[in-house]
Amino acid sequence: MNQLVMNSRLARSSVVDKTSKPASAGVATRTVIVSNRVPSPSEKGATAGGLAVALADAATKGSLWFGWSGKRTTTTSETAESVVSDGVTFATIDIGERDYTRYYNGFANGALWPLFHFRAGLLMFNRADYEAYRTVNQAFAKALLPLLKPDDLIWIHDYQLMTMATELRALGVTNRIGFFMHIPFVPPALLDVLPTAADLLEGLSACDVVGFQTERDRIAFLDCVKEFLNIHADRHGAYAFGNHTVRAVLTPIGIDADKFTQLARRAEMTGDAKRLNESLGDRALVLGVDRLDYSKGLPQRFDAFGRLLYAYPQHLRQVNFLQIAARSRQEVGSYQTLRRELDRRAGDINGEFSDFDWVPLRYMTHAVKRNAIAGFYRRARVGLVTPLRDGMNLVAKEYVAAQDSDDPGVLVLSRFAGAADDLTEALIVNPFDPDAVAAAIHQALTMELAERKERHTALLAKVRHTTARRFCETFLAYLKNPKAI
Ligand code: GDG
């Protein structure tokens, strides 16, 4: 066993001696958000991706948002640099190039991401990568330590930071700590593949509250705690770890639906939406918006669209499929492979079905502005959201919020997206079955207005109910009040 892993084992034994103290009632507490990336203050709530937008509601005046600056330097910084904007302090550290490659590309995105999306075959485990992951988690904890106040509520986000609470406890931090997992959690048989599974579970157990997107994920986590740590939770998902109690809670993430509806309404009138509209003419639009990621099921989705054109030829020349697949994690090999695979499949479909004045599939790998996307959603008759596995999937919620209630489009949604637990009025599909997805797209394209409205009304009510604000408030209520369950 190498030194770093051994040190962290020793460190963990001190975690269990510390009793985490509930924030005392009536005392103003500050929220400290910790995430791998911190949006630059100008991005907050505006152009940033799903996580940043959802957390904007937690980053209220007086709060602190801590994480990586996005800068890769020679060595990882030991102290954070802070900027205050609109009452929120943004504190960031730089990560050394070598650490970054191993922590972010290596362990986080080369091992955890595939495994937690049920793709054990893509997992690339390497002990040196794991050490760098521990080192960066420790660097985060050390740089955050001097910024902490006694009553701060610390809220850590996502799979890049699963061992950070261990490091904070080792440094003597007794504040209440919460962790929210944005991606799915896997059952024990899958987690078993990872040699450091117990370490990660102990890292989450150093927190007071651990939140999940779906009940399936929460149960999977508790099953893993039972299997790997031999600890049984009570019926509320609470268990003792050392001297404190950990609670696994269900707190699904959402969007600011009303704001997104307004954005989409306004965007409809802007240049990008008008250009798209002109290029489509009377044709129906089927739209996919995803990061270019193998969890999103894009090759299978392209196949399904090909099956639609083959099996339902009445849609030839009548429909366009636009897939926005913003490039991400291009330094990781499996993402480069995916890109080549999509290029090939797009070429196959267009080569097979195009006419001299009609190209069925439009596929782009650069990002599009958020307000343009909102306008595109509103124009789309079908929102195609077919991940093979997804924690929640905010695109599904954005698509629903963006629709014109008098003439709404239809959401086709994978049963393996967390969003499918709630959005049951969508056309729910198995993304591994291209013929079934093609049939659902056909159903969506031919659905009568009355049915579209009925489904949309139900979906919109749900999206407006489980908002980003509600997500933040519910999680923080659990974190503030240990008896909130
Ligand atoms: C993780 C989990 C969970 C996409 N392309 C562009 C663009 N986007 C925006 C979408 C949406 C966000 O990015 C994507 O959010 P998702 O939730 O769909 O997916 P992940 O990025 O994988 O997020 C996921 C989420 O965390 C939150 O907990 O739901 O399950 O995997 O907002 O609109 N935005 C812009 N240009 C693009 O080209 N501006």
Side-chain angles (χ1 to χ4, degrees), residues 46-51 53-54 113 117 158-159 180-184 213 253-255 260 289-291 293 295-296 324-327 329 366-371 373 377 385 389-396 398 418 471:
T47 54
L51 183 145
V53 171
W113 181 272
H117 287 87
D158 227 1
Y159 65 102
F180 183 73
M181 189 68 154
H182 289 257
I183 65 174
Q213 303 271 28
I253 201 164
I255 61 165
F260 205 85
V289 176
D290 307 78
R291 280 183 309 99
D293 192 298
S295 65
K296 305 295 181 184
I324 297 168
R327 288 188 290 268
R329 304 175 195 168
H366 59 83
V368 175
K369 290 193 298 280
R370 189 163 174 79
N371 69 336
I373 287 182
Y377 284 142
V385 181
R389 204 51 81 157
D390 219 328
M392 176 55 65
N393 195 296
L394 295 179
V395 168
E398 291 169 356
F471 159 69

Side-chain angles (χ1 to χ4, degrees), residues 254-269:
I255 61 165
D256 184 339
D258 293 341
K259 201 157 137 196
F260 205 85
T261 305
Q262 284 168 23
L263 183 70
R265 251 191 226 132
R266 281 200 306 269
E268 201 178 19
M269 312 299 172

